[in-house]
Amino acid sequence: MSEIQVNLDALSALAEGVRTAQGMLGDLEDNQPWSADFTSGSKSAHRDFKGKWDERRDQLSDGLRSVADALEMIRDSFDQTEDDLVATLNGEGDGG
């Protein structure tokens, strides 16, 4: 018989790490790590870059949120399945 082992703590830690990365990405929104005097051409290029970066950062943040949510759902599902199996083995389950 095959045995499935899932490290629920590792899944929780991974989800937390992804949420931390998502938060750090969000913190970049208002941070301007550089300061420079731009010419009119470079101001336009900077503005275009910043607009595209904001859009991509939002997409990446949404993706990270989805990954963290999925990891938490996987952890919860395995945890619930284990509880149900233990209850069934102990004669406490409802059989369905």
Side-chain angles (χ1 to χ4, degrees), residues 60-73:
L60 183 55
S61 180
D62 290 345
L64 289 173
R65 182 180 307 108
S66 295
V67 168
D69 290 346
L71 288 167
E72 289 171 351
M73 284 190 290

Side-chain angles (χ1 to χ4, degrees), residues 7-44:
N7 186 330
L8 300 178
D9 291 335
L11 281 172
S12 294
L14 187 55
E16 183 179 332
V18 172
R19 291 220 188 270
T20 299
Q22 179 200 8
M24 292 170 68
L25 194 59
D27 290 344
L28 293 176
E29 185 171 350
D30 296 325
N31 289 343
Q32 298 254 352
W34 61 84
S35 173
D37 292 327
F38 293 112
T39 64
S40 63
S42 60
K43 281 182 186 179
S44 175

Side-chain angles (χ1 to χ4, degrees), residues 46-59:
H46 178 257
R47 195 171 27 257
D48 289 345
F49 170 81
K50 189 172 179 335
K52 289 176 183 175
W53 166 240
D54 288 344
E55 182 180 331
R56 298 298 184 259
R57 186 186 60 244
D58 289 344
Q59 291 172 351

Side-chain angles (χ1 to χ4, degrees), residues 76-89 92:
D76 292 346
S77 293
F78 275 111
D79 195 32
Q80 184 62 49
T81 298
E82 181 181 32
D83 290 347
D84 292 347
L85 289 171
V86 168
T88 300
L89 289 172
E92 302 165 4

